[in-house]
């Protein structure tokens, strides 16, 4: 199977590529913002599945939300139509798509584009509304509070906790990727509203204070050479994430 991944160098993209490259049954077309746009003409001609992961979260210029999150996607879909390619499209959207913010509006517009394209082309639209995903390759001060805390604590930089009792609902990147991959070889039913989300059983809940406490303890264990035995699945995943920032 030939797979096109836009935003292949981003947080989700890097993790997805890492998994797919282990399987010789896939040919990957990896596209990033710095690549020549003309490559999309070739990639969309041959791809059999599209993971559209390209997006901006906190740009310096608000106009980037629309340019990247909506306009770039519109261009990719235009290439598919010109190639008469009705391959399935998986869009990584966000729960913030319901918000009336520049980011939320751009993600909502992206969802609309994919659905309209699917209706016209007969392709399959797979729209994930993701939330608070953590794991290796997440960029600090951009993707998640976990990434920011990991990066700063590993480097003895200060962190800011306005409300230590605030509860975070987190999902691990490997679980997100595993859910994505289910769509490559079969149809998976969405939630009643037509969107895809990870099941609650994969959700981890932790307060900001607890999160910081765990990460500080990881740092001290690593520096002392003390062996770490995780007390549960979340601690194991968080520890692996933290180690990736050293």
């Amino acid at each position: 199977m030939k797979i096109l991944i836009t935003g292949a160098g981003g947080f989700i993209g890097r993790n997805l590529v890492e998994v797919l490259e282990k399987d010789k049954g896939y040919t990957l077309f990896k596209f990033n913002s710095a690549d020549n746009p003309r490559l999309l003409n070739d990639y969309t001609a041959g791809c059999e599945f599209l993971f559209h992961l390209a997006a901006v979260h906190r740009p310096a210029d608000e106009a980037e939300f629309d340019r990247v999150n909506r306009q770039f996607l519109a261009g990719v879909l235009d290439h598919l139509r010109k190639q008469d390619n009705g391959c399935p499209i998986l869009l990584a959207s966000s729960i913030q798509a319901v918000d009336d913010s520049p980011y939320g509006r751009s993600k909502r517009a992206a969802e609309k584009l994919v659905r309209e394209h699917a209706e016209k082309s007969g392709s399959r639209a797979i729209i994930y509304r993701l939330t608070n995903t953590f794991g290796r390759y997440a960029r600090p001060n951009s993707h998640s509070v976990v990434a920011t805390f990991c990066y700063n604590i590993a480097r003895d930089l200060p962190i800011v906790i306005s409300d230590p009792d605030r509860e975070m609902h987190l999902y691990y990147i490997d679980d997100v990727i595993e859910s994505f991959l289910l769509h490559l070889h079969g149809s998976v039913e969405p939630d009643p509203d037509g969107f895809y989300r990870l099941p609650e059983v994969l959700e981890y809940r932790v307060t900001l204070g607890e999160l910081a406490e765990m990460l500080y303890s990881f740092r001290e264990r690593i520096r002392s050479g003390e062996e770490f035995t995780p007390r549960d699945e979340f601690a194991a995943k968080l520890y692996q994430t933290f180690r990736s920032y050293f």
Side-chain angles (χ1 to χ4, degrees):
M1 178 180 285
K2 298 177 181 178
I3 299 172
L4 169 58
I5 304 171
T6 61
F11 169 39
I12 298 177
R14 286 182 67 183
N15 282 280
L16 177 62
V17 167
E18 195 172 80
V19 173
L20 290 175
E21 284 187 333
K22 295 176 182 177
D23 192 323
K24 295 182 180 180
Y26 299 116
T27 298
L28 304 186
F29 302 141
K30 296 174 284 187
F31 188 86
N32 293 293
S33 58
D35 293 337
N36 189 326
R38 286 180 291 184
L39 287 172
L40 285 173
N41 189 61
D42 295 331
Y43 292 167
T44 54
C47 69
E48 298 166 89
F49 197 102
L50 165 61
F51 287 99
H52 186 75
L53 311 177
V56 292
H57 304 271
R58 295 182 181 180
D61 182 357
E62 280 193 358
E64 288 293 287
F65 283 124
D66 185 71
R67 188 187 70 80
V68 177
N69 296 350
R70 184 187 67 83
Q71 293 182 37
F72 173 68
L73 171 59
V76 174
L77 298 178
D78 187 53
H79 276 291
L80 287 173
R81 285 190 291 272
K82 288 179 179 177
Q83 302 287 359
D84 196 24
N85 187 340
C87 71
I89 302 168
L90 189 151
L91 170 69
S93 187
S94 166
I95 60 168
Q96 295 182 50
V98 300
D99 296 344
D100 189 25
S101 64
Y103 176 69
R105 290 193 295 271
S106 69
K107 299 303 283 186
R108 194 160 59 248
E111 293 175 353
K112 182 180 179 182
L113 284 173
V114 170
R115 283 186 161 165
E116 290 177 344
H117 171 83
E119 290 173 2
K120 294 176 181 177
S121 66
S123 65
R124 184 157 51 102
I126 305 162
I127 302 173
Y128 270 79
R129 282 190 168 176
L130 301 174
T131 178
N132 294 330
T133 303
F134 74 98
R136 60 197 174 280
Y137 309 140
R139 191 166 64 247
N141 303 304
S142 176
H143 290 135
S144 75
V145 66
V146 176
T148 301
F149 280 16
C150 285
Y151 181 89
N152 285 15
I153 290 173
R155 289 161 179 74
D156 296 319
L157 299 173
I159 60 173
V160 177
I161 304 177
S162 56
D163 180 6
D165 295 322
R166 179 187 172 192
E167 187 175 66
M168 302 294 295
H169 296 198
L170 306 172
Y171 287 95
Y172 188 51
I173 186 62
D174 286 3
D175 295 326
V176 173
I177 300 303
E178 185 175 339
S179 183
F180 282 5
L181 296 181
L182 293 175
H183 298 274
L184 289 178
H185 301 290
S187 180
V188 180
E189 288 299 314
D191 290 340
D193 62 0
F195 296 103
Y196 290 87
R197 300 172 182 83
L198 266 67
E200 287 188 11
V201 69
L202 296 176
E203 180 184 81
Y204 300 104
R205 299 189 179 191
V206 62
T207 67
L208 286 175
E210 292 168 340
L211 175 65
E213 183 180 350
M214 291 177 71
L215 295 175
Y216 279 119
S217 71
F218 293 164
R219 184 185 68 183
E220 298 314 308
R221 280 193 169 98
I222 292 170
R223 289 179 175 175
S224 67
E226 181 183 347
E227 185 176 346
F228 174 66
T229 302
R231 64 174 184 261
D232 55 34
E233 193 175 65
F234 174 64
K237 292 175 177 178
L238 186 63
Y239 182 74
Q240 289 302 318
T241 299
F242 184 66
R243 286 202 66 99
S244 72
Y245 286 87
F246 270 83

